[in-house]
Amino acid sequence: MKDVIFEGAREIPLCWVSIAFRGGWSSDPIGLEGLSQHAFGAAAHTARRFAALERLGVRCSITSDIDAVVLRAVCLSRVLPEAWPMLVDGLASGIDDAAHRGHLGSLRAAIDHARESDLALAGRFFRKHVCPGHPYSRAGHGTARSLAKLTRELAAAELDLTATSGGAIAAFAGDIFDQPCDAMAAELDARLRAGDERPLADVSERPRHGRRLILVDKPGREQVKIRIGQLAVGRASPDLAPLTAVAQVLGWRLADAVREQRGWTYEASCRLDACRGPGRLIMSLEPPSELTADALVCAFDVFKQVCQLGVDADDMPEYPELDFDARPAEVRAARRLDEIVCDLPEGHHRVNPLLDCSSGDVRAAIDRHLRPTDLCVVVVCTADRVRDELERMAGWDDVVIEPYDSY
Amino acid sequence: MGGGATLEAEARLGPVVEVRRYRFDNELRAILAPDPSRQRVAYQSWFGFGSADDRPGKTGLAHLLEHMLCIGAGFNAATWRDWTYYHVTCSPRLLGRLIERDAFNLVALGFRRAQVFRERDVVVQEHTRNQDPEALVYNALYRLLFGDHPYATPTIGLLEDIVRIDERDLDLFHRHFYVPNNACLVVAGPFDEAEVLERIGEHFRRARRRTLPSQSWEIPAPGGERREALRRPEVSVPRVAVGYPAVAKSSDDWLACALLAEVVGDRLHDALNRAGSASVTGAVAFSRMPGLLTLLARANRDLSIDQVCAAIDEVIDRVATYGVTTGELEGTRRAHERRSWERLVELDGRARMLGEYEMVHGDFRGLTGDLERLPGVDVAAVNRLASRVFQRPRAVVTLEAGEP
């Protein structure tokens, strides 16, 4: 095993179990996007294992995240001994044909669902365009084209490559005092294929592509979904904390300018992804179609102002999202797991770096990483309704238009 | 205790957390769940009104007022049929300031017209945003079965009403419903109980008890099954929703009804997934007045609306005739218990459950009561309920691609 984490707490009669393997959808081969999600999803559904776990009252999921595939399960502690062998089976017993076909169907359904939801479309196309060519630009659930190429053999090979004892990180948290967790970890170790951790995609590069605007064209849109952003920094960067502060201040200023002062949008926010490689800084707006250009101009002004002037000391917020104690258990285990996935030293998450983050640190981080000239803008809209106004008001004359069902 | 509060009720959540409810002279309630093992504190203020208190032609008032009171306050908030609540999780050292700020919501406010109109525009955008397929079919079920009853209207209100709300409507609604005898503060996390009570007493004592508007609603008896077929161009796969009149949260049957809804949802999920990937949710409303037991099915490309409807009918007929099995019920009981604990483990979720039970069930101790009663809900009780509920006239709503 790569690592085993224990975090006991008696407060609540629940156990959280995570089993992770580094890789995730950023390590999917080009043209076979969705492979890791499919391989692990199909394995989990082979012999209806997840259905059996649900009958025990276990909440379980297996997702290919950006940097790792993670099986997560939460159950009543008294159920864990019964659930554990099924969880291990889900990783170590291969993929049957029914599960392969069924799971591919659910991935296709996920694409259908994404095309139906403007929010999901905005996320999907923003990921594609914010860093073209970078592993983080891939579609985690695949595309219609890539899913058509996924065979059971490819999925089985992916499972073999990734689900190895040398790559496994297991975390047990919660009311685990009476559980034989050591024996459980040993069982997992013995059942997984012996082997080293799989090679990981190189995600360190941060490509610059210049300012660009993509309209995702969908008929009949009265309200548009706007995503604006760029790649920033990875988890290990000392600039992650100051840029987290920037994201929060940007969110507040955006909400003030576009929502509270003008009433143009319900959603006005900004967030910074934290991952092994450079994460995305994303501003989100959802104005009515006729105000698309005005809202974009306003958002650019807010972004430019923060880039030029930085953040005042008074603006430095208390950071509720860095809640280091939201839960008695599972959070520390999840953070340790995250540290291992992101190559961070043990204890990296124990200190809240924002406590010592000054407006000067913020200023320096902005200068190093944020560029108004490098913003990617994705707008899910009816292109004919907004294009002229965007060209006139926002000065965009190189707009790319993609049909909403093209990806 | 401090602040002139009287201890009224207490309970224990799990092996560690004790919860106490206090009442002040003006009838404001405070539910305190101190937990010194945490570093942050969840503070919430709950009000016993929601969109069910909107009046015909003035729907959306409770929700817009919630928006107005959040501006610049540092709180997040939500409105539902029976309640409105404001919530924040923060450092305990900010608790005193939060209590002071929160008390402003109970004193007379003057809303500025321009600000009301801007926030009204925001709510219009929120209304547009909320028009997803699941919300469309869910709202249609309630519209079909609830007639003139306020549960028939979505919490956000009707668009034609929202755009007419002005500052006078808000002032009036605020005067009627934001009163201490309609409110309950919930605090969970590390804090000194006496000190918090002292602060609450100090800042909320100016709020005067007032008589609440009398409310009396009859849920209409549906004459027979009601159906509605919806079409929207952007829908990629069909949806089917079925609703049966169920029971109020305070009913002795609610827990059995919740388990029944989950078992039926799971069975339907299995039945539909034999033909491919589909998702099904079975749930019963957590509401003060009797709401609906709903089944919401999202099909896939290979399933037609007729096939989904046939599967629903077959599953319901079998459950109504032969009942659920002991194995099914045991799995659902475990899932229900696990979900409850999962919500209680987070401070914010813990405070929310306490507030929701207090407002909807009528007593936060209903939460511990449900957890204690859960193992005793047997197959016979669930099956008796199934044969009753599934005989009631229901509503069926379908949604597929096409022009409205």
Side-chain angles (χ1 to χ4, degrees), chain A residues 20-86:
Chain A
F21 303 92
R22 300 210 300 168
W25 56 254
S26 60
S27 291
D28 282 344
I30 293 170
L32 295 177
E33 292 84 2
L35 178 61
S36 65
Q37 180 64 56
H38 175 54
F40 281 85
H45 285 90
T46 287
R48 300 180 62 75
R49 287 181 195 113
F50 264 34
L53 283 163
E54 280 163 12
R55 282 196 288 278
L56 289 177
V58 181
R59 177 167 67 81
C60 45
S61 66
I62 189 152
T63 53
S64 180
D65 295 339
I66 191 165
D67 294 316
V69 181
V70 189
L71 184 158
R72 297 178 179 89
V74 189
C75 62
L76 297 168
S77 27
R78 64 178 186 268
V79 169
L80 183 60
E82 204 177 338
W84 179 253
M86 291 187 233

Side-chain angles (χ1 to χ4, degrees), chain A residues 145-191:
Chain A
R145 192 175 293 176
S146 71
L147 293 184
K149 294 184 200 160
L150 300 187
T151 61
R152 186 158 76 99
E153 289 69 30
L154 278 170
E158 171 69 15
L159 196 64
D160 267 357
L161 176 69
T162 307
T164 60
S165 59
I169 310 156
F172 300 86
D175 183 19
I176 55 172
F177 298 98
D178 300 325
Q179 308 285 354
C181 292
D182 284 324
M184 290 178 184
E187 183 190 355
L188 176 67
D189 192 36
R191 292 281 311 279

Side-chain angles (χ1 to χ4, degrees), chain A residues 266-304:
Chain A
Y266 174 72
E267 167 71 12
S269 63
C270 182
R271 68 183 170 88
L272 178 66
D273 286 349
C275 29
R276 189 165 63 92
R280 304 168 304 172
L281 180 93
I282 313 170
M283 296 188 284
S284 304
L285 298 169
E286 300 171 2
S289 183
E290 66 274 17
L291 291 173
T292 305
D294 300 271
L296 268 181
V297 169
C298 197
F300 286 142
D301 286 347
V302 167
F303 189 79
K304 272 187 211 159

Side-chain angles (χ1 to χ4, degrees), chain A residues 334-356:
Chain A
R335 290 204 168 113
R336 179 66 199 123
L337 197 150
D338 185 57
E339 285 167 357
I340 297 167
V341 167
C342 294
D343 285 327
L344 299 170
E346 183 165 3
H348 182 89
H349 284 311
R350 271 190 214 134
V351 184
N352 181 348
L354 292 172
L355 291 176
D356 298 322

Side-chain angles (χ1 to χ4, degrees), chain B residues 234-274:
Chain B
E234 66 269 29
V235 169
S236 62
V237 292
R239 265 71 165 190
V240 178
V242 180
Y244 290 88
V247 295
K249 174 62 195 73
S250 55
S251 160
D252 288 343
D253 284 334
W254 185 86
L255 200 51
C257 201
L259 295 173
L260 171 65
E262 288 174 37
V263 170
V264 175
D266 289 347
R267 260 203 207 184
L268 185 58
H269 184 269
D270 284 350
L272 290 178
N273 275 293
R274 278 183 222 125

Side-chain angles (χ1 to χ4, degrees), chain A residues 143-290:
Chain A
T143 62
R145 192 175 293 176
S146 71
L147 293 184
K149 294 184 200 160
L150 300 187
T151 61
R152 186 158 76 99
E153 289 69 30
L154 278 170
E158 171 69 15
L159 196 64
D160 267 357
L161 176 69
T162 307
T164 60
S165 59
I169 310 156
F172 300 86
D175 183 19
I176 55 172
F177 298 98
D178 300 325
Q179 308 285 354
C181 292
D182 284 324
M184 290 178 184
E187 183 190 355
L188 176 67
D189 192 36
R191 292 281 311 279
L192 292 172
R193 190 179 69 77
D196 293 335
E197 182 176 67
R198 64 167 297 159
L200 303 177
D202 177 7
V203 294
S204 58
E205 190 198 351
R206 187 176 58 188
R208 298 281 190 199
H209 293 279
R211 198 177 82 148
R212 57 218 182 275
L213 171 62
I214 296 92
L215 303 185
V216 180
D217 190 17
K218 190 175 178 185
R221 299 301 90 199
E222 291 174 8
Q223 185 181 69
V224 305
K225 311 289 180 202
I226 301 176
R227 299 290 178 270
I228 308 168
Q230 59 185 216
L231 286 192
V233 296
R235 270 230 198 273
S237 167
D239 285 333
L240 181 73
L243 290 180
T244 302
V246 172
Q248 190 152 351
V249 172
L250 273 171
W252 289 343
R253 292 195 182 167
L254 205 56
D256 182 61
V258 187
R259 176 175 161 153
E260 292 186 13
Q261 299 299 324
R262 294 177 171 85
W264 287 349
T265 177
Y266 174 72
E267 167 71 12
S269 63
C270 182
R271 68 183 170 88
L272 178 66
D273 286 349
C275 29
R276 189 165 63 92
R280 304 168 304 172
L281 180 93
I282 313 170
M283 296 188 284
S284 304
L285 298 169
E286 300 171 2
S289 183
E290 66 274 17

Side-chain angles (χ1 to χ4, degrees), chain A residues 100-181:
Chain A
H100 165 66
R101 282 184 281 109
H103 194 260
L104 267 184
S106 66
L107 290 178
R108 288 193 194 101
I111 293 178
D112 285 343
H113 193 47
R115 287 177 181 167
E116 192 181 79
S117 155
D118 293 1
L119 274 177
L121 274 178
R124 195 169 159 82
F125 277 84
F126 185 76
R127 178 179 288 169
K128 177 185 175 191
H129 287 285
V130 71
C131 52
H134 190 280
Y136 284 174
S137 69
R138 287 171 200 161
H141 280 72
T143 62
R145 192 175 293 176
S146 71
L147 293 184
K149 294 184 200 160
L150 300 187
T151 61
R152 186 158 76 99
E153 289 69 30
L154 278 170
E158 171 69 15
L159 196 64
D160 267 357
L161 176 69
T162 307
T164 60
S165 59
I169 310 156
F172 300 86
D175 183 19
I176 55 172
F177 298 98
D178 300 325
Q179 308 285 354
C181 292

